[in-house]
């Protein structure tokens, strides 16, 4: 039986082997042109008090402006259905129902996106963990045309995985790999019209294959409407623990993306418990001083929308109330090998705080590390103390998180299983409540 140190070094060896195929992950190859459609309706973003619906009038021609294809209506006090917000109701002239399916292009889908997504060349890339799109849906059919990078397209171990969730369930309605460079996938189907909230996300992390959506096809008479923002927003920035590396796997075997579930890591678990929207930027093997699986370090990635495929700067239009940083586990590997990384870690951490604060002037920043790497905590606290003294910024805090304590709770390459992710979330939630952030 391995002790903690033995398991950790076993994990380092396993991770190094599995990482060898990951560093050339920046190529994105798409084949084919965006398909012609008889009708494309574009949904614009709305305020929290107003919901956007795709109208379904077959008399609308291709010359009609997008604004003429959108119906927005305040919810009547007596209405209880989420979909009553999205249907134009008239006692004299009821809305005409479409007779044919409607296809939305990538630009239209981006109006429903969650997490960091990148719109490029008629494709909406949802490469980050738990990035994707969601909306309230009434209908019978939903299909999507996805593209994925050829780099991992035919590699069973490193495919991008997509999950579809209905309502508040954390059990996926559908879960599938993107096993082709381009293809159509069924997201939802029912014999009878169904009302539900649909969330479609990438379960796997940014470096394990790209996931881009080119079009979304709704069935005849189907309606979608935008989900209003919750008013609470958390951003998570971390490494494999945040990404859920191997959280459905076993210590007895190596990593496979089919066993990475970003939806059940401490990050979204915490956000859902607090009724908050969230985004995740996390890469296995990534550190502040160096990275074990790619050419990027944390400072290269944070400010970019999707650093693996684009140099585009992220806009930070929506400001989070809380930013959770969980970095240092991979830096420990380098610090233990070369003492010069010790000071570099603190220097890079300081620079990261400067960068985060410059883009999020009002957010609380919570700097975390799991207790397996608690040797980094004094360094983190030193950095916070220095930054606070230099700037007067008192909205930065530290938190030591739990880690695996029993052998049976280890997943692939000695990473925490979902059970431990819930335990990490409990400690994080307690701290957030103590700080009174929401």
């Amino acid at each position: 039986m391995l002790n903690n140190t033995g398991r950790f070094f076993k994990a380092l060896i396993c991770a190094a082997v599995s990482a060898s195929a990951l560093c050339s992950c920046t190529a994105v190859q798409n084949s084919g042109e965006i398909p012609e459609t008889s009708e494309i309706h574009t949904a614009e973003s709305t305020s929290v008090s107003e919901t956007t619906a795709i109208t379904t009038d077959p008399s609308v021609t291709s010359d009609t402006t997008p604004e003429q294809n959108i119906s927005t209506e305040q919810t009547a006090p007596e209405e209880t259905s989420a979909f009553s917000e999205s249907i134009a109701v008239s006692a004299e002239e009821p809305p005409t129902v479409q007779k044919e399916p409607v296809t939305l292009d990538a630009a239209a889908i981006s109006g429903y996106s969650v997490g960091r997504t990148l719109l490029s060349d008629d494709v909406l890339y949802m490469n980050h963990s738990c990035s994707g799109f969601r909306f309230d849906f009434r209908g019978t059919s939903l299909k999507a045309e996805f593209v994925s990078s050829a780099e991992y397209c035919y590699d069973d171990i490193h495919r991008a995985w997509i999950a579809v969730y209905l309502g508040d369930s954390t059990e996926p309605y559908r879960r599938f790999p993107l096993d082709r460079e381009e293809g159509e996938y069924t997201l939802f189907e029912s014999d009878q019209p169904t009302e539900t909230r649909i969330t479609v996300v990438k379960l796997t992390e940014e470096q394990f294959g790209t996931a881009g959506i080119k079009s979304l096809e709704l069935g005849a008479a189907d309606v979608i409407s935008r989900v209003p923002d919750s008013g609470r927003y958390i951003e998570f920035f971390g490494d494999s623990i945040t990404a859920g590396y191997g959280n459905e796997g076993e210590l007895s075997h190596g990593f496979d993306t089919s066993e990475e579930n970003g939806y059940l890591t401490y990050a979204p678990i915490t956000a859902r418990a607090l009724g908050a929207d969230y985004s995740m930027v996390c890469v296995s093997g990534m550190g502040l001083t160096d990275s074990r699986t790619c050419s990027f370090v944390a400072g290269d990635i944070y400010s970019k929308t999707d650093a693996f495929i684009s140099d585009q700067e992220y806009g930070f239009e929506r400001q989070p109330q809380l930013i959770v940083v969980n970095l240092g586990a991979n830096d420990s590997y380098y610090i233990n090998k070369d003492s010069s990384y010790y000071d570099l870690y603190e220097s890079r951490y300081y620079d990261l705080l400067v960068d985060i604060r410059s883009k999020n002037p009002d957010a609380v920043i919570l700097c975390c590390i799991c207790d397996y790497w608690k040797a980094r905590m004094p360094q983190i606290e030193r950095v916070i103390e220095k930054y606070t003294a230099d700037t007067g910024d008192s909205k930065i805090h530290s938190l030591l998180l739990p880690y695996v304590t029993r052998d049976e709770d280890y997943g692939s390459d000695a990473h925490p299983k979902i059970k431990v992710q819930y335990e990490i979330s409990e400690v994080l939630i307690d701290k957030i409540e103590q700080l009174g952030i929401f």
Side-chain angles (χ1 to χ4, degrees):
M1 182 175 296
L2 294 173
N3 58 26
N4 280 343
T5 302
R7 285 192 298 269
F8 178 66
F9 283 104
K10 180 176 183 290
L12 296 183
I13 294 171
C14 293
V17 172
S18 64
S20 62
L22 303 180
C23 294
S24 57
C25 52
T26 58
V28 179
Q29 301 181 24
N30 304 317
S31 60
E33 300 295 327
I34 187 166
E36 294 183 0
T37 59
S38 59
E39 189 174 13
I40 297 179
H41 299 255
T42 303
E44 302 290 343
S45 297
T46 64
S47 65
V48 171
S49 62
E50 192 173 41
T51 304
T52 302
I54 303 298
T55 61
T56 56
D57 188 342
S59 65
V60 175
T61 69
S62 59
D63 295 327
T64 307
T65 62
E67 287 77 9
Q68 291 172 300
N69 295 338
I70 298 172
S71 170
T72 58
E73 182 175 279
Q74 298 290 338
T75 305
E78 66 272 19
E79 298 288 350
T80 57
S81 169
F83 299 93
S84 62
E85 302 177 8
S86 63
I87 303 172
V89 179
S90 171
E92 298 179 358
E93 186 178 350
T96 304
V97 176
Q98 70 177 23
K99 303 301 181 183
E100 300 295 334
V102 170
T103 300
L104 306 181
D105 63 9
I109 301 167
S110 68
Y112 304 95
S113 62
V114 294
R116 293 193 187 187
T117 58
L118 174 68
L119 185 62
S120 176
D121 297 328
D122 297 322
V123 176
L124 181 67
Y125 288 100
M126 38 187 280
N127 293 330
H128 291 283
S129 299
C130 291
S131 287
F133 54 93
R134 66 173 178 174
F135 41 68
D136 287 325
F137 175 81
R138 184 182 68 188
T140 59
S141 176
L142 195 62
K143 297 178 181 179
E145 184 181 12
F146 280 103
V147 297
S148 188
S149 60
E151 180 74 21
Y152 299 126
C153 186
Y154 304 109
D155 181 342
D156 290 341
I157 294 177
H158 294 120
R159 286 174 176 167
W161 281 75
I162 304 297
V164 181
Y165 296 91
L166 303 184
D168 296 327
S169 177
T170 57
E171 288 293 325
Y173 165 76
R174 289 214 166 144
R175 181 174 180 172
F176 55 87
L178 298 183
D179 54 2
R180 290 159 277 169
E181 290 187 40
E182 184 170 351
E184 184 179 81
Y185 298 81
T186 298
L187 303 182
F188 178 82
E189 57 186 350
S190 173
D191 293 335
Q192 300 295 325
T194 300
E195 294 186 1
T196 187
R197 179 161 295 172
I198 292 182
T199 303
V200 181
V201 297
K202 184 171 183 271
L203 290 179
T204 47
E205 61 192 90
E206 187 176 15
Q207 63 184 325
F208 297 139
T210 60
I213 182 168
K214 293 183 69 174
S215 62
L216 191 65
E217 183 180 286
L218 284 67
D222 292 355
V223 176
I224 64 173
S225 57
R226 184 178 178 273
V227 178
D229 295 340
S230 69
R232 298 180 172 189
Y233 184 42
I234 308 174
E235 181 180 70
F236 296 90
F237 188 40
D239 51 31
S240 57
I241 299 170
T242 306
Y245 182 105
N247 62 346
E248 293 185 336
E250 298 293 337
L251 183 61
S252 59
H253 62 257
F255 175 71
D256 186 322
T257 54
S258 67
E259 297 176 335
E260 181 174 63
N261 187 340
Y263 208 65
L264 288 179
T265 75
Y266 73 89
I269 291 169
T270 297
R272 286 191 293 268
L274 296 173
D277 302 325
Y278 64 95
S279 64
M280 297 166 63
V281 179
C282 43
V283 178
S284 291
M286 182 179 69
L288 287 155
T289 59
D290 211 332
S291 291
R292 299 163 62 194
T293 59
C294 66
S295 59
F296 297 108
V297 294
D300 300 326
I301 290 177
Y302 180 74
S303 64
K304 304 295 184 182
T305 303
D306 192 336
F308 281 78
I309 66 171
S310 172
D311 288 330
Q312 181 187 93
E313 294 288 325
Y314 184 58
F316 295 94
E317 285 87 1
R318 187 177 184 189
Q319 291 280 289
Q321 292 98 343
L322 172 64
I323 299 169
V324 178
V325 179
N326 188 354
L327 291 168
N330 294 296
D331 295 285
S332 294
Y333 169 78
Y334 294 100
I335 291 171
N336 291 335
K337 288 177 57 178
D338 184 345
S339 60
S340 67
Y341 280 91
Y342 188 92
D343 291 336
L344 181 61
Y345 176 72
E346 293 187 26
S347 173
R348 293 273 180 87
Y349 212 120
Y350 187 98
D351 291 343
L352 179 64
L353 291 182
V354 171
D355 190 30
I356 291 175
R357 177 57 76 214
S358 70
K359 295 173 174 62
N360 307 274
D362 299 320
V364 173
I365 303 173
L366 188 54
C367 303
C368 305
I369 192 76
C370 288
D371 58 16
Y372 192 97
W373 299 275
K374 61 184 178 183
R376 302 283 74 76
M377 182 52 76
Q379 292 188 270
I380 293 172
E381 292 174 337
R382 234 180 349 258
V383 170
I384 295 173
E385 183 178 358
K386 183 179 188 316
Y387 183 82
T388 299
D390 291 347
T391 64
D393 190 340
S394 60
K395 298 180 72 173
I396 305 179
H397 306 273
S398 61
L399 177 65
L400 191 65
L401 298 170
Y403 200 65
V404 181
T405 57
R406 304 185 305 171
D407 287 349
E408 57 265 35
D409 293 333
Y410 278 111
S412 303
D413 296 340
H415 284 74
K417 285 187 175 181
I418 292 171
K419 176 181 179 295
V420 180
Q421 295 280 358
Y422 273 96
E423 293 170 358
I424 295 172
S425 175
E426 288 178 5
V427 174
L428 179 56
I429 290 171
D430 286 344
K431 181 66 173 181
I432 294 171
E433 292 176 343
Q434 288 172 20
L435 293 173
I437 297 171
F438 298 117

